[in-house]
Amino acid sequence: MRRFLANRVAMAFLGLFVLIVLFVLAAPLWANHVAHTGPNQTHTLEKLTIGGESRDVVNVEGQPIGPVWLDAGGKFFLGADSRLGRDEMVRLMYGGRTSLLIGVVAALITSFLAVILGLLAGYYRGWVDGLVSRALDVLWSIPVFMLGLALGISLAVGGLKLGPIEVSGGSLWIPILVIGVVSVPYMARPIRGQVLSLGEKEFVEAALAQGAGSLRVMFAELLPNLGSTIIVFFTLNIANNMLFEAGLSFLGAGVQSPNSSWGTMISTGVELLNTSPVLAIAPGAMILLVALSLNIVGDGLRDALDPRAKVRLEARTGTVEPEGTAV
Amino acid sequence: MSAEPLLAVRDLRVGFATEGGPLQAVDGVSFDLAAGEVLAIVGESGAGKSVAAQTIMGLSRSRNARIEGSVKLHGDELIDADDAVLRRLRGEQVAMIFQDPMTSFNPVYRVGAQIVEAIRAHRADVSKSEARARAVALLDSVGIPEAARRVDDYPHEFSGGMRQRAMIAMALALEPEVLIADEPTTALDVTIQAQILRLLGSLNRERGLATILITHDLGVVAEVADRVLVMYAGKVVEQGTLDEIFYDPQHPYTWGLLGSLTRLDRPRPKRLPQISGAPPSLLDLPQGCSFRPRCPHEFSKCPRTPPLEARLADAPDHRDRCWLTPEQKREKRQVGGQIGLEAPSA
Amino acid sequence: MARFILKRLAGTVAVLFAVSVVVFAVFNVIPNSPPAQRLAGKNANPRLVKSIEEEWGFDKPLPQQYLTMMKKTFNGELTSYEPRIPVDEQILEGIPATASLCIGAAVIWLFFGILFGYLAAVRAGGLLDRLLTGVAVAGISIPVFLLAPVLIYFLSYEIELFPSGGYVPLSEDPAQWAYHLILPWFTVAVLSIGFYSRVLRSNMLDAMDEDHVRTARAKGLGERQVMVRHVLRNSLIPIITLFGLDVGALIGGTAIITEKLFDINGVGAYAAGAVANSELPPIMGVTLYAAFFVVFFNALVDIAYAYLDPRVRLGTAAQ
């Protein structure tokens, strides 16, 4: 832990991530007090007063206004988003909430399922492991993105009904569940591997000899040892999920209207790339920053929690103080 | 007139910078190796034996290592020698074999290919087929049956003992003058150990191959060594001929090592004798003599200054580091009728 | 070795079967709406829906539905309903473009990934290493849909250095073929270069600590020889397997976004169009096609691994 805190680069990016989270959390504040508009409100026919001049929010050719910055008191800070004349900055903040929400909740689902499956497969071995591994293999075989697309599209049209669980097609739960489930093999395999190797260790035998039941062994003995792996993967998973969601939404198989996310914003922004590049680049850059921050933080955590990595780097470089993002 | 020693090590010091602080792995080690001699270096794990040996070949060079002192082979200084010089020397003049033959071979190349690689690294003019023939001959000379077939096997297809023989064969490929064997038998079964030691012994006798044998097992030493170096916490605490060490040991640590040998020719002791305590952490050595905490014969001088090297008047090559006088030593080393070391009084 | 290959290929068939069941489930079982409705697409009229229902047998029990679907796929009868074009024809038409994109990018990323990873490992801890690591981390964090628009905007629109997209078949004009593919190749390769260089660096750092590397030095091999023949060679094995898997996945159509953004008429673009129009049969077809490639390359990779690592071949190593 101490080592992680001393990793200046990782801490810097953790700070950046926190800033971004605060940024999107501040969406209602900005919307109500600065921009005076909501993310879905259209202003196609309106005019804006800038420095005494009056300008169309959307001109006659359907071209939205570019970044106004602070010239109009914060309204249309980044300009308007399309022919619909919505405030890009407000949309950026609200869209971020969706993206982050999906990323984090999906990661929670993935972690939960991956840990359960990994523990079961690694602990019981035998046919349980065979079954779980085969299932993961099959899931793994379909390129993740295609699978996400397939599920996303199918479910978007009609929604989901699995026993008591019923979700409508337009709900945010669809992309969350799709991404959460599809990412499971990515995390379950390493966990299973670690459980397998931990199982060889004496403390498991000792616990069993003391009469501990399987459940106890799994949760009280094995799980704590998986802690660092889980944390690192969880962090990296959020980044992957956000990239995944953006990709799905970009193509139309993720977040459905009226909801919007950074991915959907890029989709509309790309159409106006040559005239208003900021519309596609702003949300893209946000995703980049979040993914970058989480990746660096995840790496930093991995370095801090893996004693071998540090020692090895030292012996080679002769540095004694904790440093950089290494592996 | 004594002949110039083949290898002369003087005041060798190797220190490392680690996360826990600076660490002196080798602290003023000096010894000679004569041509055709077998020198055994004995000590517990962490005593500095491997580091000292690897430093001879320049294998311990790294950015956080500090190497001082002198290592001369045929009078040529090696400590500050160019990497190119050392590279040529490795394998051709000084060769080394390591503890675990399984991991010491590269698992993805055939054994023969790895021997050929060693040969052609030094003799680029040797053709592949010539080198391969040589490899077969080498494997045969160390006692590997069906060498012509086995030369194309992978390391994991050999048994433990055979692998170690193959390692020795590879080390001898360029006919070096010095062989350093770092715990060559530790990873092997007892019966195989004997075979390997016999092999090393015969190589020494038949080819005059000077050998440095590193081990923690005095039984192994008794088999093959001419001279013995006892190391503790990075220093040489005693050195002498095999007879001198076994029959006239001067240092309490040596007494402890000898006393803890189980002997078939003596009655079984009531308790398994051992040296009490454990080797100190090199990051936190005791003041004065490093062996102090485990020594029952400690007195006022011991904590104040680390003992200087003393030599016996009638045996100038028999040296040790202990403040006790020779008379005191002769008296104190007798425990229950034989040489040994008691536990220190609390 | 032959037995191993046969076993592996048999396993492939089994997995493909399982995959087809999953695809079936994904499309027809899990969602909540009537399957015929979904297949018909957004603008279907009730008569079309009814005929689809009959054609596919949605009123029959599930196993039979599955068989019908499989039959249609293998007979090339899978068609999208709006417009009425056979899916397999479209996929085949798209393969050359996708292959050009993917194989070209793969060669580039393998080369640079190994180069950067090697340099970073050999100079670990130094400035070059930190620089390359930074580049790598950035590479895996930049989403394609940011990189492509940025590249297009700056290098194609502002400075007209590269074309903004389109595909020129190799047979037509090799120079133009490559010229149009440079930006897309780079876009696809960036992410993998980052990933591969990090994996190689990590593997090499681990390998450097191994005993056989010490032996190699003790034999008198030069530093470069030690690094390449003993460290790199041993570290490449996992890279090669990863590479095989990634290429398989890529050819399977996961360069969808890149193809769409750069206007390349490959399999991915076909799928993207289908997604935009909510057309299920093409997506179903592309998913099966993609899975086939992945599974096939998986098997290839396992076989290659057995060849590269003799311990596996002779059946004595634990994976």
Side-chain angles (χ1 to χ4, degrees), chain B residues 14-303:
Chain B
V14 183
F16 294 106
T18 68
E19 195 174 71
L23 179 157
Q24 199 67 21
V26 179
D27 192 7
V29 167
S30 304
F31 64 89
D32 285 342
L33 181 70
E37 181 176 49
V38 177
L39 173 71
I41 304 186
V42 190
E44 286 160 298
S45 312
K49 330 186 282 286
S50 291
V51 178
Q54 290 184 19
T55 309
I56 295 176
M57 294 175 77
L59 288 175
S60 61
R61 286 186 179 184
S62 82
R63 252 183 280 184
N64 65 330
R66 227 170 105 201
I67 305 175
E68 299 159 299
S70 156
V71 174
K72 287 194 183 156
L73 183 67
H74 284 305
D76 298 322
E77 179 62 65
L78 298 179
I79 289 287
D80 51 7
D82 254 359
D83 281 331
V85 170
L86 283 174
R87 194 189 70 67
R88 266 195 305 274
L89 162 148
R90 293 177 195 149
E92 264 195 276
Q93 291 174 281
V94 182
M96 191 157 175
I97 62 174
F98 301 95
Q99 180 172 329
D100 188 350
M102 180 64 233
T103 54
S104 296
F105 270 113
N106 190 328
V108 305
Y109 292 118
R110 300 173 203 269
V111 168
Q114 296 188 50
I115 300 181
V116 166
E117 184 186 35
I119 296 174
R120 299 190 83 218
H122 293 268
R123 308 267 163 78
D125 53 315
V126 173
S127 77
K128 278 207 194 138
S129 49
E130 274 173 51
R132 189 191 144 83
R134 177 130 176 78
V136 175
L138 281 165
L139 288 176
D140 188 52
S141 71
V142 294
I144 293 180
E146 292 186 64
R149 188 177 63 80
R150 307 223 65 183
V151 75
D152 286 327
D153 281 345
Y154 286 95
H156 65 273
E157 294 178 273
F158 283 71
S159 70
M162 288 294 151
R163 263 198 297 270
Q164 194 60 296
R165 288 176 191 266
M167 274 247 82
I168 295 175
M170 187 161 76
L172 298 176
L174 293 146
E175 297 178 326
E177 298 169 279
V178 181
L179 175 68
I180 305 180
D182 193 349
E183 310 243 22
T185 55
T186 308
L188 303 171
D189 288 340
V190 176
T191 41
I192 311 288
Q193 274 187 25
Q195 288 176 15
I196 298 295
L197 287 175
R198 251 193 309 257
L199 174 61
L200 288 173
S202 70
L203 286 171
N204 165 253
R205 280 187 307 274
E206 288 158 25
R207 303 171 185 226
L209 179 65
T211 309
I212 298 181
L213 178 63
I214 300 176
T215 177
H216 60 269
D217 184 346
L218 274 180
V220 163
V221 172
E223 278 266 344
V224 280
D226 296 322
R227 290 180 53 239
V228 184
L229 216 75
V230 182
M231 279 188 73
Y232 188 80
K235 299 187 190 55
V236 177
V237 294
E238 184 162 2
Q239 59 174 297
T241 66
L242 188 65
D243 285 341
E244 284 167 353
I245 296 292
F246 271 76
Y247 296 116
D248 190 22
Q250 299 291 302
H251 194 280
Y253 180 55
T254 319
W255 306 338
L257 287 176
L258 289 167
S260 58
L261 277 178
T262 42
R263 310 266 308 243
L264 285 175
D265 58 340
R266 302 270 167 87
R268 226 175 60 182
K270 291 206 187 57
R271 275 175 50 245
L272 273 178
Q274 50 173 319
I275 310 177
S276 68
S281 154
L282 289 175
L283 289 168
D284 189 19
L285 288 172
Q287 281 268 53
C289 172
S290 306
F291 188 63
R292 254 196 324 123
R294 305 167 84 184
C295 184
H297 310 296
E298 180 184 354
F299 64 100
S300 56
K301 201 168 183 186
C302 303

Side-chain angles (χ1 to χ4, degrees), chain A residues 137-147 149-151 153-155 157-162 166 242-243 246-247 250-253 266-267 270 273-275 277 280-281 284-285 287-288 291-292 295-296 299 302 308 312-313 316-317 323-327, chain C residues 15 18-19 22-23 26-27 30-33 38 121 124-125 130 133 137-138 140-143 145-146 149-150 152-154 157 198 201-202 205-206 208-209 245 249 252-254 256-257 260-261 271-272 275-276 278 280 283 286-287 290-291 294-295 298:
Chain A
D137 276 347
V138 170
L139 213 54
W140 188 252
S141 295
I142 308 177
V144 172
F145 198 62
M146 284 308 303
L147 188 59
L149 271 186
L151 277 172
I153 275 290
S154 310
L155 296 176
V157 175
L160 174 68
K161 187 173 170 63
L162 263 181
E166 194 168 331
M242 293 189 66
L243 289 169
F250 175 78
L251 291 175
I266 298 181
S267 179
V270 161
L273 183 62
N274 293 338
T275 48
I281 295 183
I287 299 179
L288 167 64
L292 192 62
N295 272 320
I296 293 184
D299 269 358
R302 196 196 336 235
R308 255 179 7 116
R312 180 219 298 144
L313 195 62
R316 212 163 306 291
T317 64
E323 184 62 67
T325 53
V327 184
Chain C
V15 173
V19 167
V22 169
V23 169
V26 163
F27 282 96
I30 298 178
N32 197 17
S33 57
R38 272 180 287 112
R130 276 197 279 239
T133 299
V137 173
I140 63 176
S141 306
I142 297 186
F145 37 76
L146 172 65
V150 166
I152 294 176
Y153 181 71
F154 286 107
Y157 183 68
R198 272 152 50 91
R201 177 187 181 280
S202 172
L205 286 180
D206 279 336
M208 282 188 215
D209 282 339
L245 295 176
T254 41
I256 293 183
I257 298 182
K260 177 169 174 183
L261 286 170
V275 170
S278 293
L280 286 182
I283 301 180
V286 173
T287 307
V294 170
V295 172
N298 244 298

